[in-house]
Amino acid sequence: EAYRFAKGEQVGLQPYRPDGTATRTARLRRPLDFTVLTDHAELLGEIRMCSTPGSPGYDGDFCWVYQNFRPATFSFMAVRTMIQRDRFAFCGEDGELCLEQARLVWKDIQAAAEEAYDRSAECTFSSFVGYEWTGSVGTGENLHRNVVFRNDKVPERPPSWVDTASAFDLWTHLQAQCVDGVDGCEALTIPHNSNISGPGLMFASAKLEGPDDLSLSVDAKEARLRRRWEPLVEIMQHKGDSECLPGRDTKDEACGFEKLPYNSFAGVGSISEQNIATRPGLPVPDLTPDPRAMVRGALKKGIQLEHEIGENPLKYGIIASTDTHLGTPGLVAEDDPKGHGGAGTRRVIGLPDDLEFNPGGLAVLWAEENSRDALFDAMQRREAYGTSGTRPVVRFFGGWGLADEMCKGDDFAERGYAEGVPMGADLPKRGEQDRDPRFAVWALHDPGSDEAPGTPLDRIQIVKGWIEDGEQKEKVIDVKRSRGRASVDPMTCETKGEGASQLCAVWRDRDFDPDQNAFYYARILESPTCRWSQHLCVEAGVSCDDPSTIEPGFEDCCRADHQPVIQERAWTSPIWYSP
């Protein structure tokens, strides 16, 4: 169903209900080119066992509780397996019964991906075999990785967090069970939701097994291994934006976009309430968001480590993802929200999700064709960018001799490849005559669809990070702005004014120091529009000045922290310079 949805078919959304009936349907206005479904490997066997009549343990006491009290029991299972890394007794000796059930689910995952993959010359849709490695430590700090395989050559079962104590251990298992164990098997991992990794645990040593390991040192060997396995990082999904944190280590006003007010799963509403109920008298963990958990902070940390140890372990390209928990990849339209975080289990009326969540983002790859091999190669070379859910087309090149005239012709990309390097690459070696690097950015606005026209562009920015006298520095430069300015009326969600249909600029870094490590990435901001929550508040006729208009389920429309207007955006993978 998820793959059919990704291809544009209408599907029924069937969140948990006592009578098991579907209450809503959904359809993508525009199909996806590719997707990977990454279910949590840690509970594949347990859930199948308790859901499949005739399986071992199905008629046991624990599975009976799960079948009759699913939401509460699932939370208990998740904590036991994903945080405590312990299997239940009904899994048998060494967990073998659950592992065998997991193998069966893994085969189903492979079969579904193979059925969905278009192997014809048309390349209309590509599906990847993948899963989520759900590493969680402490009070719910996130180490999650999405694991993507190049093709249908995969291990017998996916190494999970229960089987592997760290990301480093995961890569060791993937090397043995995939690369060395299965002919033609290749994989990569993508850090997921770094904004809830506490004090930046996601970007600490890959050998980290818990919060106490935050200060573990990283050597050149580990740095090279991480760069080999993790070419990309996810900058946004439905649980918030992870680019940068306003008011902490940056003055960048645009960093205030879609921020979670907490730094781990312990801050999620239902989990937080459960923690307070089950841990009376115990201190509440510090949930203050931390800039070390942000992607921009990781990029700066990476070039600082390169300056210190000669290798950059955090040399990430950038994508975004839906992170759907409804089986609806690509369901990211702000004006047609169905929810993801609550997955429909708690919200029958009103806003379908917790206010801090959003519809999610999209990953974009520049590839020769829409095939698994070409797309996987694009991921490995980091020629990728992420969007907050809209579909602008963005090109970004860097070089020493890129000319201003690139924006005047119709050969922008051709010249970019011929005279420089694309997003995700390193600047070419600096020649004796080369002075300052130049960066060329071109963006075309998302045209939208007949049902929902796209939004014009507001500006192009370049974000620079560098190391100066051992300190991390950053700067955000507006390199091109729309001549007209568009706005939105939050009371009606109607837009007015004109932005740009496309923007292009060639920018020269006149402050360049050839002795400083640096990275550069482009950020494209669209004109303001209503956030998903405000669309529903307007549709429901909510007026915060009139309490009689606030129906049950819509109270969050009038919360002090509700931001009714957003600026959708795209972030390119960086281009790096090393002395």
Side-chain angles (χ1 to χ4, degrees):
E1 284 188 326
Y3 282 126
R4 290 201 297 272
F5 181 84
K7 293 181 177 183
E9 295 183 29
Q10 181 168 293
V11 302
L13 303 183
Q14 191 166 345
Y16 177 76
R17 295 286 186 274
D19 61 1
T21 58
T23 58
R24 299 173 293 169
T25 60
R27 179 183 64 83
L28 278 184
R29 293 167 179 158
R30 291 176 288 179
L32 299 178
D33 296 315
F34 63 91
T35 196
V36 52
L37 303 180
T38 54
D39 206 348
H40 303 272
E42 290 68 26
L43 286 170
L44 293 180
E46 288 82 343
I47 298 299
R48 187 185 193 280
M49 184 182 295
C50 287
S51 305
T52 308
S55 64
Y58 177 80
D59 296 322
D61 292 344
F62 187 91
C63 284
W64 180 89
V65 175
Y66 172 78
Q67 294 153 16
N68 289 278
F69 306 97
R70 184 168 299 185
T73 310
F74 178 78
S75 297
F76 174 65
M77 294 173 74
V79 170
R80 172 78 170 263
T81 309
M82 296 183 183
I83 294 182
Q84 298 176 348
R85 298 180 63 236
D86 188 20
R87 296 202 182 276
F88 293 89
F90 70 79
C91 288
E93 187 175 354
D94 296 327
E96 192 53 43
L97 292 177
C98 288
L99 292 175
E100 180 56 36
Q101 294 295 308
R103 290 186 186 95
L104 298 176
V105 181
W106 185 231
K107 290 181 179 178
D108 292 340
I109 289 171
Q110 296 171 59
E114 186 60 28
E115 180 183 5
Y117 184 33
D118 179 10
R119 291 183 175 276
S120 72
E122 282 73 24
C123 295
T124 58
F125 185 82
S126 286
S127 56
F128 286 94
V129 179
Y131 72 98
E132 183 171 332
W133 180 83
T134 322
S136 302
V137 298
T139 56
E141 288 89 350
N142 173 46
L143 300 176
H144 301 188
R145 263 85 173 169
N146 286 307
V147 183
V148 183
F149 294 91
R150 175 186 283 272
N151 48 42
D152 57 350
K153 309 295 191 299
V154 301
E156 182 180 5
R157 65 179 178 87
S160 77
W161 167 239
V162 182
D163 314 311
T164 55
S166 65
F168 190 93
D169 199 15
L170 168 66
W171 302 332
T172 301
H173 276 67
L174 287 172
Q175 181 69 38
Q177 298 174 21
C178 170
V179 179
D180 298 335
V182 178
D183 188 35
C185 184
E186 290 186 56
L188 55 83
T189 66
I190 304 173
H192 172 54
N193 254 134
S194 66
N195 57 336
I196 48 177
S197 66
L201 301 185
M202 182 73 79
F203 303 124
S205 168
K207 296 179 180 179
L208 177 145
E209 297 183 14
D212 293 341
D213 296 334
L214 182 60
S215 60
L216 279 178
S217 61
V218 177
D219 59 23
K221 181 178 179 181
E222 179 187 331
R224 288 191 294 270
L225 187 66
R226 187 171 198 151
R227 199 164 64 240
R228 174 259 180 271
W229 282 103
E230 290 195 343
L232 300 172
V233 66
E234 180 190 78
I235 202 168
M236 180 181 176
Q237 26 47 49
H238 86 79
K239 295 191 291 296
D241 163 84
S242 299
E243 182 192 7
C244 45
L245 197 61
R248 296 293 298 275
D249 65 340
T250 182
K251 298 179 181 179
D252 181 3
E253 295 181 357
C255 287
F257 177 69
E258 293 293 359
K259 288 293 173 292
L260 292 188
Y262 42 82
N263 67 6
S264 78
F265 281 107
V268 178
S270 59
I271 299 176
S272 179
E273 293 167 6
Q274 187 179 43
N275 284 342
I276 293 172
T278 57
R279 293 158 49 99
L282 293 179
V284 177
D286 182 5
L287 300 177
T288 306
D290 196 302
R292 290 174 292 179
M294 299 293 134
V295 169
R296 190 185 295 175
L299 294 172
K300 288 188 286 187
K301 180 179 179 179
I303 58 173
Q304 185 165 29
L305 285 170
E306 182 180 15
H307 181 74
E308 295 170 358
I309 66 175
E311 297 284 352
N312 183 348
L314 305 172
K315 204 167 189 177
Y316 286 127
I318 288 174
I319 62 160
S321 305
T322 312
D323 190 23
T324 175
H325 285 64
L326 290 177
T328 50
L331 185 63
V332 294
E334 298 281 340
D335 63 343
D336 186 29
K338 307 296 184 185
H340 291 301
T345 59
R346 301 187 307 277
R347 298 175 178 271
V348 181
I349 59 174
L351 300 182
D353 219 339
D354 294 342
L355 186 64
E356 67 265 30
F357 295 149
N358 70 87
L362 294 173
V364 189
L365 302 175
W366 283 112
E368 296 82 359
E369 63 181 16
N370 187 24
S371 66
R372 284 176 176 171
D373 280 334
L375 295 171
F376 195 86
D377 286 343
M379 287 188 270
Q380 286 188 312
R381 68 174 179 267
R382 304 182 295 250
E383 197 167 354
Y385 65 97
T387 85
S388 59
T390 55
R391 302 192 183 191
V393 182
V394 183
R395 288 285 196 179
F396 181 48
F397 294 95
W400 300 103
L402 300 180
D404 295 336
E405 290 73 25
M406 283 183 64
C407 288
K408 299 178 181 179
D410 58 2
D411 57 350
F412 182 91
E414 183 179 353
R415 291 187 63 175
Y417 283 115
E419 301 170 15
V421 296
M423 61 181 79
D426 292 278
L427 281 172
K429 185 176 180 180
R430 181 169 172 265
E432 293 183 3
Q433 303 302 316
D434 295 325
R435 296 187 60 188
D436 305 329
R438 290 172 171 257
F439 298 90
V441 194
W442 175 82
L444 177 69
H445 87 298
D446 178 359
S449 64
D450 292 339
E451 301 169 71
T455 304
L457 304 176
D458 177 58
R459 74 188 79 172
I460 292 176
Q461 299 176 313
I462 287 182
V463 178
K464 177 185 177 182
W466 73 98
I467 302 301
E468 183 176 331
D469 297 328
E471 293 186 15
Q472 299 177 10
K473 303 283 188 177
E474 68 168 49
K475 186 176 182 181
V476 180
I477 306 100
D478 284 352
V479 298
K480 190 71 173 182
R481 298 181 70 116
S482 168
R483 291 182 179 177
R485 301 303 303 276
S487 61
V488 61
D489 182 352
M491 303 307 297
T492 64
C493 290
E494 294 182 2
T495 58
K496 59 183 178 180
E498 294 185 2
S501 60
Q502 61 178 308
L503 293 172
C504 185
V506 178
W507 175 75
R508 175 182 174 185
D509 183 8
R510 297 183 183 276
D511 297 323
F512 172 73
D513 184 335
D515 295 326
Q516 293 172 346
N517 295 69
F519 65 80
Y520 306 80
Y521 67 88
R523 183 173 65 189
I524 286 77
L525 300 180
E526 297 185 2
S527 299
T529 52
C530 273
R531 189 177 189 261
W532 70 271
S533 48
Q534 186 65 10
H535 276 288
L536 293 180
C537 296
V538 170
E539 185 180 308
V542 173
S543 172
C544 295
D545 295 330
D546 182 359
S548 67
T549 66
I550 307 173
E551 297 290 335
F554 290 95
E555 295 85 356
D556 284 352
C557 295
C558 300
R559 271 174 39 179
D561 60 344
H562 179 215
Q563 296 186 357
V565 174
I566 59 170
Q567 274 190 286
E568 302 270 32
R569 59 198 60 199
W571 308 261
T572 72
S573 291
I575 294 173
W576 287 267
Y577 168 76
S578 298

